Amino acid sequence: MTSGTAARRERERQQALADVQQAQTGAALRRRRLGGAAWAAGLLVVVALVTAGLLTSRPTSSTEARMAPDFTLPASDGSSVSLADHRGSPVILYFNEGAGCDSCLVQMAEIEKDPAFAEAGLTVLPIVMNTAQQINADRERLGVNAPFLLDDGTISEAYGTLGVGMHEGLPGHGFILIDADGNQLWHGNYPSMWLSPADLLEEVNARL
């Protein structure tokens, strides 16, 4: 082999190595770009989900007045309750998801602890789409005294509470104020699954 041939082959080998290194560098850059793009896309998805969550968790309310639909419902303690029985004093209907939703029952437990409701002559009636067995198990576990009214969906639909929470076929987390004459004065819906009793009282007292 002549020295010229050896030199040419060495140049070819060096060029091949350079080509391989260039290809590896290019591939690494492409991977980094793709990785950065994927990370950015993932970040956009997270931001979109958080934004959507914040938007859908905002409370909504209505002060459109109407005659409240009357009802008679069985209660989880075996009794039955009619809205007409409470004519003469204001009533708050508390529609919620019920069994399996601890925050729904804790909401009622905290309302019970606040004497201001009784002092204001307010009755709070929690309404769920559960069986007595289902809701009573959670009531006992979470220390809720009030019996829950058991709806088959008819009353929840009549009051426009179905599908406004996390589950299409269940009521959301909302309150409806009915005055002493049976008029619906206010409806507040709280997808965050919580309204402090003090804030609930403030809403109610502002409208009575």
Side-chain angles (χ1 to χ4, degrees), residues 149-173:
L149 306 190
L150 311 176
D151 180 28
D152 63 2
T154 303
I155 305 306
S156 296
E157 184 174 12
Y159 279 92
T161 66
L162 286 180
V164 297
M166 292 186 294
H167 303 284
E168 183 65 28
L170 292 176
H173 193 100

Side-chain angles (χ1 to χ4, degrees), residues 114-132:
D114 193 332
F117 286 87
E119 292 169 1
L122 290 166
T123 300
V124 180
L125 298 176
I127 301 176
V128 294
M129 289 175 58
N130 298 135
T131 65

Side-chain angles (χ1 to χ4, degrees), residues 41-203:
L43 180 61
L44 287 175
V45 170
V46 170
V47 170
L49 289 173
V50 170
T51 301
L54 289 172
L55 290 174
T56 56
S57 66
R58 289 178 179 174
T60 58
S61 65
S62 171
T63 55
E64 182 178 352
R66 64 166 178 165
M67 192 67 182
D70 198 9
F71 60 80
T72 298
L73 289 172
S76 60
D77 63 355
S79 65
S80 64
V81 175
S82 296
L83 182 60
D85 295 340
H86 295 276
R87 189 65 60 86
S89 60
V91 175
I92 300 171
L93 305 182
Y94 169 38
F95 289 90
N96 62 94
E97 294 179 5
C101 174
D102 283 8
S103 60
C104 297
L105 279 86
V106 169
Q107 173 82 79
M108 191 62 203
E110 292 302 308
I111 290 172
E112 289 180 335
K113 293 175 185 177
D114 193 332
F117 286 87
E119 292 169 1
L122 290 166
T123 300
V124 180
L125 298 176
I127 301 176
V128 294
M129 289 175 58
N130 298 135
T131 65
Q133 183 178 12
Q134 289 169 335
I135 195 65
N136 284 340
D138 281 0
R139 283 179 56 239
E140 294 170 8
R141 179 170 58 86
L142 295 168
V144 183
N145 295 318
F148 280 51
L149 306 190
L150 311 176
D151 180 28
D152 63 2
T154 303
I155 305 306
S156 296
E157 184 174 12
Y159 279 92
T161 66
L162 286 180
V164 297
M166 292 186 294
H167 303 284
E168 183 65 28
L170 292 176
H173 193 100
F175 301 91
I176 292 175
L177 173 63
I178 300 173
D179 69 11
D181 297 320
N183 300 304
Q184 178 179 324
L185 303 182
W186 169 72
H187 179 188
N189 184 54
Y190 297 85
S192 64
M193 312 301 284
W194 174 253
L195 176 64
S196 75
D199 288 342
L200 175 58
L201 275 171
E202 184 177 348
E203 290 281 3

